[in-house]
Amino acid sequence: MVPEVIKLLNITPDGIYLDGTIGLGGHAQAIVSHLSPKGLLLGLDGDAEALNYSKKNLTASCKIHLFNDSYSNFTHYLDPLNIREFDGMILDLGLSSFQLDTPERGFSYRFNGPLDMRFKKDSGINGVHIVNQWNERELSKLFKTYGEEHNSKAIAKSIVGCRVKQPIKTTFQLCDAVKQVVSPVQINKTLSRIFQAIRIEVNKELNSLTQFLIKFIDYLKIGGRVVILSYHSLEDRLVKNALTDLQKECICPPDFPECICDIVKRLNIITRKPLTPVDTEITVNKRASSAKLRAGEKLA
């Protein structure tokens, strides 16, 4: 949805922009192509391999600064770069085809590889740890909460039973454990939800999004735009609620003589309903079909 993103960002040629999930640089390249030599792009990504690709392929006359870090830490880089506010911010929360199609990363149930799932390979626990060390109750709760999987208890029980015989270290071993309790008709959607749940926990994705949504408004210029692409209901719900809260005005009861809540409307939501990809884009890239785009403009 690059054209939609660029239109909503309403780019100022001399502006300063944040691409918090730069990935392979698709949105970033479109942004910098609209910037003058006075413009600046700060790009972040937790995936070092994707970031290296962007470093090699991004071309622009403006200033570009790229860092291997979570977008939730964007404030760490402002003082060194003498940045106070942004004219626009973009988050694309989806996995890239590069990540999904690299078996050794372990993100996809379609390829056999180590059950890793980390964006940053040197950070925290991986998928192997969760699948083999968490107890049945913890796994069931994970699949239900982050995967919205109705068959979470049976799947967790199957995984625990399988790992007693042999540790589950690969994507296909995990798939086999799930297939034991899920019908062939439902298996692909179920595996997608299970892999999603583990990946979210491994990378603390919802924590990062929550942290960003709490503070981004304080680093956006008045008139600046924020654009966020999400790919499942958990992300979209967080984004929707955060933007809605920032759009609220006084919530005092109507019979109060004066406002005592001190709530000021700080954001105007541009997308009354989330935008979704057009049919031609879905035809080219089926993975884009679940995308939802929301945007807002800072008022105060």
Side-chain angles (χ1 to χ4, degrees):
M1 300 182 72
V2 173
E4 292 90 339
V5 167
I6 297 302
K7 181 178 180 180
L8 286 167
L9 281 175
N10 192 28
I11 295 173
T12 302
D14 295 346
I16 301 173
Y17 291 85
L18 170 72
D19 186 339
T21 50
I22 200 164
L24 300 183
H27 290 114
Q29 185 61 62
I31 291 170
V32 298
S33 69
H34 288 77
L35 295 181
S36 73
K38 294 181 180 179
L40 183 148
L41 175 76
L42 170 59
L44 301 172
D45 205 289
D47 190 323
E49 293 183 23
L51 195 70
N52 287 335
Y53 180 92
S54 293
K55 286 180 178 178
K56 294 176 183 177
N57 291 278
L58 273 178
T59 57
S61 59
C62 69
K63 302 180 185 70
I64 301 176
H65 300 279
L66 306 181
F67 299 96
N68 180 209
D69 202 351
S70 167
Y71 60 83
S72 62
N73 296 326
F74 75 91
T75 55
H76 297 177
Y77 303 94
L78 304 189
D79 284 346
L81 296 174
N82 197 29
I83 296 173
R84 296 183 62 186
E85 294 176 308
F86 292 95
D87 293 273
M89 300 174 167
I90 164 72
L91 295 184
D92 183 349
L93 302 172
L95 286 175
S96 69
S97 295
F98 171 75
Q99 290 168 322
L100 287 168
D101 295 339
T102 305
E104 56 266 28
R105 302 298 300 275
F107 286 115
S108 176
Y109 61 84
R110 296 186 299 113
F111 308 109
N112 195 26
L115 194 61
D116 194 314
M117 296 196 186
R118 291 175 296 180
F119 293 151
K120 295 189 73 171
K121 292 183 179 180
D122 60 349
S123 66
I125 62 172
N126 59 16
V128 171
H129 175 89
I130 290 175
V131 168
N132 290 281
Q133 300 300 321
W134 285 28
N135 63 40
E136 184 177 324
R137 184 177 180 181
E138 290 170 329
L139 288 172
S140 177
K141 183 179 179 181
L142 174 67
F143 300 151
K144 184 175 183 179
T145 304
Y146 287 169
E148 299 181 297
E149 172 55 51
H150 68 278
N151 204 21
S152 60
K153 290 184 179 180
I155 293 171
K157 184 176 182 179
S158 179
I159 288 173
V160 171
C162 289
R163 77 189 191 194
V164 170
K165 304 172 187 176
Q166 184 181 14
I168 298 173
K169 295 184 177 181
T170 70
T171 54
F172 277 10
Q173 283 180 300
L174 176 58
C175 290
D176 289 340
V178 176
K179 288 176 181 178
Q180 291 187 18
V181 291
V182 177
S183 72
V185 176
Q186 299 175 324
I187 191 60
N188 284 342
K189 289 186 177 179
T190 299
L191 286 173
S192 179
R193 291 191 286 264
I194 297 302
F195 273 64
Q196 170 186 296
I198 297 172
R199 190 199 78 227
I200 288 174
E201 176 60 30
V202 165
N203 298 291
K204 305 298 182 184
E205 293 176 40
L206 298 185
N207 293 2
S208 295
L209 180 57
T210 299
Q211 290 176 38
F212 177 86
L213 292 171
I214 289 171
K215 61 188 176 185
F216 84 87
I217 194 70
D218 293 325
Y219 298 91
L220 196 60
K221 291 181 181 179
I222 292 177
R225 304 275 183 94
V226 62
V227 178
I228 303 178
L229 279 157
S230 59
Y231 293 82
H232 55 77
S233 60
L234 299 175
E235 292 173 339
D236 184 58
R237 194 176 302 124
L238 285 174
V239 175
K240 177 184 177 181
N241 290 342
L243 298 188
T244 300
D245 286 344
L246 288 168
Q247 189 173 238
K248 287 179 180 177
E249 297 181 273
C250 172
I251 57 173
C252 294
D255 57 344
F256 272 34
E258 61 181 31
C259 174
I260 61 171
C261 70
D262 293 328
I263 293 178
V264 177
K265 182 177 181 179
R266 303 193 69 190
L267 187 86
N268 179 48
I269 296 176
I270 303 169
T271 49
R272 188 175 63 85
K273 291 184 178 180
L275 303 184
T276 55
V278 296
D279 291 341
T280 52
E281 181 168 358
I282 295 175
T283 300
V284 175
N285 179 19
K286 291 183 179 180
R287 289 169 176 163
S289 61
S290 60
K292 290 185 178 181
L293 188 159
R294 296 184 185 272
E297 180 177 308
K298 184 173 177 177
L299 299 177

